[in-house]
Short mmCIF file of all heavy atoms in Angstrom, two decimals:
data_model
loop_
_atom_site.label_atom_id
_atom_site.label_comp_id
_atom_site.label_asym_id
_atom_site.label_seq_id
_atom_site.Cartn_x
_atom_site.Cartn_y
_atom_site.Cartn_z
N GLN A 41 3.91 -11.30 4.57
CA GLN A 41 2.89 -10.25 4.50
C GLN A 41 1.92 -10.34 5.67
O GLN A 41 1.59 -9.34 6.30
CB GLN A 41 2.12 -10.41 3.17
CG GLN A 41 1.53 -9.14 2.63
CD GLN A 41 2.57 -8.18 2.11
OE1 GLN A 41 3.56 -8.59 1.51
NE2 GLN A 41 2.39 -6.91 2.34
N PHE A 42 1.48 -11.56 5.98
CA PHE A 42 0.51 -11.72 7.05
C PHE A 42 1.14 -11.47 8.41
O PHE A 42 0.53 -10.86 9.28
CB PHE A 42 -0.14 -13.11 6.99
CG PHE A 42 -1.41 -13.20 7.79
CD1 PHE A 42 -2.58 -12.62 7.31
CD2 PHE A 42 -1.45 -13.85 9.02
CE1 PHE A 42 -3.76 -12.69 8.05
CE2 PHE A 42 -2.62 -13.91 9.76
CZ PHE A 42 -3.78 -13.34 9.27
N GLN A 44 3.42 -9.44 9.04
CA GLN A 44 3.53 -8.00 9.16
C GLN A 44 2.24 -7.43 9.75
O GLN A 44 2.29 -6.55 10.62
CB GLN A 44 3.79 -7.38 7.79
CG GLN A 44 3.88 -5.87 7.83
CD GLN A 44 4.40 -5.32 6.54
OE1 GLN A 44 5.56 -4.97 6.42
NE2 GLN A 44 3.52 -5.23 5.55
N LEU A 45 1.10 -7.94 9.32
CA LEU A 45 -0.17 -7.48 9.87
C LEU A 45 -0.23 -7.76 11.37
O LEU A 45 -0.66 -6.92 12.16
CB LEU A 45 -1.35 -8.18 9.20
CG LEU A 45 -1.62 -7.87 7.73
CD1 LEU A 45 -2.86 -8.60 7.27
CD2 LEU A 45 -1.78 -6.38 7.50
N GLU A 46 0.24 -8.95 11.76
CA GLU A 46 0.23 -9.28 13.18
C GLU A 46 1.15 -8.37 13.96
O GLU A 46 0.86 -7.97 15.08
CB GLU A 46 0.65 -10.75 13.35
CG GLU A 46 -0.40 -11.73 12.81
CD GLU A 46 0.02 -13.17 12.98
OE1 GLU A 46 1.08 -13.56 12.45
OE2 GLU A 46 -0.71 -13.91 13.65
N LEU A 48 1.76 -5.36 13.31
CA LEU A 48 1.18 -4.01 13.38
C LEU A 48 0.12 -3.90 14.45
O LEU A 48 -0.40 -2.84 14.75
CB LEU A 48 0.60 -3.61 12.02
CG LEU A 48 1.62 -3.38 10.92
CD1 LEU A 48 0.93 -3.09 9.60
CD2 LEU A 48 2.54 -2.22 11.26
N PHE A 56 -6.23 -4.99 15.07
CA PHE A 56 -5.84 -4.57 13.72
C PHE A 56 -6.01 -5.65 12.68
O PHE A 56 -6.56 -5.41 11.60
CB PHE A 56 -4.39 -4.05 13.73
CG PHE A 56 -3.98 -3.47 12.42
CD1 PHE A 56 -4.55 -2.29 11.95
CD2 PHE A 56 -3.05 -4.11 11.60
CE1 PHE A 56 -4.18 -1.75 10.72
CE2 PHE A 56 -2.68 -3.59 10.38
CZ PHE A 56 -3.24 -2.40 9.94
N VAL A 57 -5.54 -6.85 12.98
CA VAL A 57 -5.60 -7.92 11.97
C VAL A 57 -7.04 -8.20 11.58
O VAL A 57 -7.37 -8.30 10.40
CB VAL A 57 -4.92 -9.21 12.48
CG1 VAL A 57 -4.94 -10.28 11.39
CG2 VAL A 57 -3.49 -8.95 12.89
N GLU A 59 -9.58 -6.23 11.86
CA GLU A 59 -10.15 -5.07 11.15
C GLU A 59 -9.75 -5.10 9.68
O GLU A 59 -10.57 -4.87 8.79
CB GLU A 59 -9.66 -3.76 11.79
CG GLU A 59 -10.37 -3.44 13.08
CD GLU A 59 -9.64 -2.35 13.89
OE1 GLU A 59 -8.67 -1.76 13.38
OE2 GLU A 59 -10.05 -2.14 15.04
N VAL A 60 -8.47 -5.38 9.45
CA VAL A 60 -7.97 -5.42 8.07
C VAL A 60 -8.65 -6.54 7.29
O VAL A 60 -9.08 -6.35 6.15
CB VAL A 60 -6.44 -5.61 8.05
CG1 VAL A 60 -5.95 -5.94 6.66
CG2 VAL A 60 -5.75 -4.36 8.56
N VAL A 61 -8.77 -7.69 7.92
CA VAL A 61 -9.38 -8.83 7.23
C VAL A 61 -10.87 -8.55 6.95
O VAL A 61 -11.38 -8.91 5.89
CB VAL A 61 -9.18 -10.13 8.04
CG1 VAL A 61 -9.98 -11.27 7.45
CG2 VAL A 61 -7.71 -10.51 8.08
N LEU A 63 -12.11 -5.61 6.40
CA LEU A 63 -12.09 -4.69 5.26
C LEU A 63 -11.94 -5.48 3.97
O LEU A 63 -12.59 -5.20 2.97
CB LEU A 63 -10.89 -3.74 5.35
CG LEU A 63 -11.09 -2.38 6.00
CD1 LEU A 63 -9.76 -1.64 6.05
CD2 LEU A 63 -12.11 -1.55 5.23
N TYR A 64 -11.07 -6.47 4.02
CA TYR A 64 -10.82 -7.31 2.86
C TYR A 64 -12.10 -8.04 2.44
O TYR A 64 -12.44 -8.08 1.26
CB TYR A 64 -9.69 -8.32 3.15
CG TYR A 64 -9.39 -9.25 2.00
CD1 TYR A 64 -8.93 -8.76 0.78
CD2 TYR A 64 -9.57 -10.63 2.12
CE1 TYR A 64 -8.66 -9.60 -0.28
CE2 TYR A 64 -9.30 -11.48 1.07
CZ TYR A 64 -8.84 -10.96 -0.13
OH TYR A 64 -8.57 -11.81 -1.18
N GLY A 98 -4.75 -6.29 -5.77
CA GLY A 98 -4.02 -5.39 -4.87
C GLY A 98 -4.33 -5.64 -3.41
O GLY A 98 -3.42 -5.77 -2.59
N SER A 99 -5.60 -5.72 -3.07
CA SER A 99 -5.92 -5.93 -1.65
C SER A 99 -5.59 -7.36 -1.22
O SER A 99 -5.15 -7.57 -0.09
CB SER A 99 -7.36 -5.55 -1.33
OG SER A 99 -8.25 -6.05 -2.28
N SER A 101 -3.17 -9.07 -2.27
CA SER A 101 -1.73 -9.07 -2.12
C SER A 101 -1.30 -8.43 -0.80
O SER A 101 -0.36 -8.89 -0.15
CB SER A 101 -1.16 -8.36 -3.34
OG SER A 101 0.04 -7.81 -3.11
N SER A 102 -2.01 -7.40 -0.37
CA SER A 102 -1.66 -6.72 0.88
C SER A 102 -1.86 -7.59 2.11
O SER A 102 -1.17 -7.41 3.11
CB SER A 102 -2.48 -5.45 1.06
OG SER A 102 -2.06 -4.48 0.16
N ILE A 103 -2.83 -8.50 2.07
CA ILE A 103 -2.99 -9.37 3.24
C ILE A 103 -2.22 -10.67 3.05
O ILE A 103 -2.23 -11.54 3.91
CB ILE A 103 -4.46 -9.67 3.61
CG1 ILE A 103 -5.15 -10.57 2.60
CG2 ILE A 103 -5.25 -8.40 3.83
CD1 ILE A 103 -6.37 -11.26 3.20
N GLY A 104 -1.55 -10.82 1.92
CA GLY A 104 -0.72 -12.00 1.70
C GLY A 104 -1.48 -13.18 1.11
O GLY A 104 -1.02 -14.32 1.19
N LEU B 821 -0.44 10.43 3.04
CA LEU B 821 -0.59 9.11 2.40
C LEU B 821 -1.81 9.14 1.49
O LEU B 821 -2.94 9.24 1.96
CB LEU B 821 -0.75 8.03 3.48
CG LEU B 821 -1.14 6.63 3.01
CD1 LEU B 821 -0.06 6.04 2.10
CD2 LEU B 821 -1.37 5.72 4.21
N GLU B 823 -3.93 7.11 -0.96
CA GLU B 823 -4.19 5.74 -1.40
C GLU B 823 -5.69 5.52 -1.41
O GLU B 823 -6.36 5.74 -0.40
CB GLU B 823 -3.49 4.78 -0.44
CG GLU B 823 -3.94 3.33 -0.50
CD GLU B 823 -3.59 2.64 -1.81
OE1 GLU B 823 -2.42 2.36 -2.05
OE2 GLU B 823 -4.54 2.36 -2.59
N ASP B 825 -7.44 2.64 -2.06
CA ASP B 825 -7.93 1.37 -1.53
C ASP B 825 -7.91 1.40 0.00
O ASP B 825 -6.87 1.63 0.61
CB ASP B 825 -7.05 0.22 -2.05
CG ASP B 825 -7.55 -1.12 -1.57
OD1 ASP B 825 -8.42 -1.70 -2.24
OD2 ASP B 825 -7.08 -1.59 -0.52
N ASP B 826 -9.09 1.16 0.62
CA ASP B 826 -9.22 1.26 2.08
C ASP B 826 -8.26 0.35 2.82
O ASP B 826 -7.63 0.74 3.80
CB ASP B 826 -10.65 0.89 2.52
CG ASP B 826 -11.67 1.88 2.02
OD1 ASP B 826 -11.28 3.04 1.74
OD2 ASP B 826 -12.85 1.51 1.90
N LEU B 827 -8.16 -0.87 2.34
CA LEU B 827 -7.33 -1.86 3.01
C LEU B 827 -5.86 -1.45 2.93
O LEU B 827 -5.15 -1.42 3.94
CB LEU B 827 -7.54 -3.24 2.38
CG LEU B 827 -6.96 -4.44 3.11
CD1 LEU B 827 -7.78 -5.67 2.79
CD2 LEU B 827 -5.53 -4.71 2.72
N ASN B 828 -5.41 -1.13 1.73
CA ASN B 828 -4.01 -0.73 1.55
C ASN B 828 -3.68 0.53 2.35
O ASN B 828 -2.59 0.63 2.93
CB ASN B 828 -3.70 -0.48 0.07
CG ASN B 828 -3.68 -1.77 -0.73
OD1 ASN B 828 -3.54 -2.84 -0.18
ND2 ASN B 828 -3.83 -1.66 -2.04
N ARG B 829 -4.63 1.44 2.39
CA ARG B 829 -4.40 2.69 3.12
C ARG B 829 -4.24 2.40 4.61
O ARG B 829 -3.38 2.93 5.29
CB ARG B 829 -5.54 3.67 2.87
CG ARG B 829 -5.24 5.10 3.33
CD ARG B 829 -6.32 6.09 2.91
NE ARG B 829 -7.62 5.75 3.44
CZ ARG B 829 -8.65 5.35 2.70
NH1 ARG B 829 -8.54 5.25 1.40
NH2 ARG B 829 -9.80 5.07 3.25
N SER B 830 -5.12 1.52 5.10
CA SER B 830 -5.10 1.15 6.51
C SER B 830 -3.77 0.50 6.89
O SER B 830 -3.16 0.84 7.91
CB SER B 830 -6.27 0.19 6.74
OG SER B 830 -6.44 -0.08 8.07
N VAL B 831 -3.31 -0.44 6.07
CA VAL B 831 -2.08 -1.15 6.37
C VAL B 831 -0.86 -0.23 6.25
O VAL B 831 -0.01 -0.19 7.14
CB VAL B 831 -1.92 -2.38 5.43
CG1 VAL B 831 -0.57 -3.05 5.64
CG2 VAL B 831 -3.04 -3.38 5.68
N THR B 832 -0.78 0.53 5.17
CA THR B 832 0.36 1.41 4.95
C THR B 832 0.43 2.47 6.04
O THR B 832 1.52 2.82 6.52
CB THR B 832 0.30 2.07 3.56
OG1 THR B 832 0.15 1.06 2.58
CG2 THR B 832 1.56 2.87 3.27
N ARG B 833 -0.74 2.95 6.47
CA ARG B 833 -0.76 3.93 7.55
C ARG B 833 -0.15 3.36 8.83
O ARG B 833 0.66 4.01 9.48
CB ARG B 833 -2.21 4.33 7.80
CG ARG B 833 -2.33 5.33 8.91
CD ARG B 833 -3.75 5.57 9.30
NE ARG B 833 -3.82 6.68 10.24
CZ ARG B 833 -4.94 7.28 10.57
NH1 ARG B 833 -6.06 6.91 10.03
NH2 ARG B 833 -4.92 8.27 11.43
N ARG B 834 -0.52 2.13 9.17
CA ARG B 834 0.02 1.50 10.38
C ARG B 834 1.52 1.31 10.26
O ARG B 834 2.26 1.50 11.22
CB ARG B 834 -0.66 0.14 10.63
CG ARG B 834 -1.99 0.22 11.35
CD ARG B 834 -1.87 0.75 12.76
NE ARG B 834 -1.07 -0.12 13.61
CZ ARG B 834 -0.20 0.30 14.52
NH1 ARG B 834 -0.01 1.58 14.72
NH2 ARG B 834 0.47 -0.57 15.24
N LEU B 835 1.97 0.92 9.07
CA LEU B 835 3.41 0.74 8.84
C LEU B 835 4.15 2.04 9.10
O LEU B 835 5.17 2.06 9.79
CB LEU B 835 3.68 0.29 7.40
CG LEU B 835 3.32 -1.15 7.04
CD1 LEU B 835 3.50 -1.38 5.54
CD2 LEU B 835 4.18 -2.13 7.81
N LEU B 836 3.63 3.13 8.56
CA LEU B 836 4.27 4.44 8.73
C LEU B 836 4.24 4.87 10.19
O LEU B 836 5.22 5.41 10.70
CB LEU B 836 3.58 5.49 7.85
CG LEU B 836 3.80 5.34 6.35
CD1 LEU B 836 2.82 6.19 5.57
CD2 LEU B 836 5.23 5.73 5.98
N GLU B 837 3.12 4.61 10.85
CA GLU B 837 3.03 4.97 12.28
C GLU B 837 4.04 4.17 13.09
O GLU B 837 4.66 4.69 14.01
CB GLU B 837 1.61 4.71 12.79
CG GLU B 837 0.61 5.78 12.35
CD GLU B 837 -0.83 5.44 12.70
OE1 GLU B 837 -1.07 4.35 13.29
OE2 GLU B 837 -1.71 6.24 12.38
N LYS B 838 4.19 2.92 12.72
CA LYS B 838 5.16 2.07 13.41
C LYS B 838 6.58 2.62 13.25
O LYS B 838 7.41 2.49 14.13
CB LYS B 838 5.09 0.64 12.88
CG LYS B 838 5.78 -0.36 13.79
CD LYS B 838 5.30 -1.76 13.53
CE LYS B 838 6.25 -2.75 14.21
NZ LYS B 838 5.70 -3.32 15.42
N VAL B 843 1.06 10.57 10.21
CA VAL B 843 0.42 10.28 8.93
C VAL B 843 -0.93 10.96 8.75
O VAL B 843 -1.79 10.92 9.63
CB VAL B 843 0.18 8.75 8.79
CG1 VAL B 843 -0.31 8.42 7.38
CG2 VAL B 843 1.44 7.99 9.10
N PRO B 925 3.12 -5.31 -3.00
CA PRO B 925 2.63 -5.02 -1.66
C PRO B 925 3.75 -4.50 -0.76
O PRO B 925 4.89 -4.93 -0.87
CB PRO B 925 2.12 -6.37 -1.17
CG PRO B 925 2.88 -7.38 -1.94
CD PRO B 925 3.17 -6.76 -3.27
N ILE B 926 3.37 -3.58 0.10
CA ILE B 926 4.37 -2.85 0.87
C ILE B 926 4.78 -3.61 2.13
O ILE B 926 3.96 -4.08 2.89
CB ILE B 926 3.83 -1.46 1.22
CG1 ILE B 926 3.57 -0.68 -0.07
CG2 ILE B 926 4.82 -0.72 2.11
CD1 ILE B 926 3.05 0.71 0.14
N LEU B 927 6.08 -3.73 2.31
CA LEU B 927 6.62 -4.32 3.53
C LEU B 927 7.37 -3.24 4.30
O LEU B 927 7.92 -2.31 3.72
CB LEU B 927 7.56 -5.48 3.20
CG LEU B 927 6.86 -6.77 2.73
CD1 LEU B 927 7.86 -7.77 2.24
CD2 LEU B 927 6.05 -7.37 3.88
N LEU B 928 7.42 -3.43 5.61
CA LEU B 928 8.00 -2.42 6.49
C LEU B 928 9.41 -2.00 6.08
O LEU B 928 9.72 -0.82 5.95
CB LEU B 928 8.01 -2.93 7.93
CG LEU B 928 8.45 -1.90 8.97
CD1 LEU B 928 7.37 -0.84 9.16
CD2 LEU B 928 8.76 -2.56 10.29
N ILE B 931 9.59 0.07 2.74
CA ILE B 931 9.17 1.46 2.82
C ILE B 931 10.17 2.26 3.65
O ILE B 931 10.49 3.41 3.31
CB ILE B 931 7.71 1.55 3.37
CG1 ILE B 931 7.10 2.89 3.00
CG2 ILE B 931 7.62 1.32 4.85
CD1 ILE B 931 5.62 2.97 3.36
#
Side-chain angles (χ1 to χ4, degrees):
Chain A
Q41 208 71 38
F42 197 75
Q44 178 169 259
L45 292 183
E46 292 180 301
L48 291 176
F56 186 68
V57 183
E59 283 165 8
V60 168
V61 172
L63 266 177
Y64 179 62
S99 45
S101 154
S102 289
I103 70 159
Chain B
L821 171 62
E823 165 66 72
D825 182 87
D826 294 337
L827 191 153
N828 289 340
R829 193 173 59 248
S830 188
V831 175
T832 306
R833 179 189 188 167
R834 277 296 297 141
L835 287 173
L836 290 166
E837 284 173 359
K838 195 160 166 104
V843 187
I926 298 181
L927 286 172
L928 186 72
I931 200 173

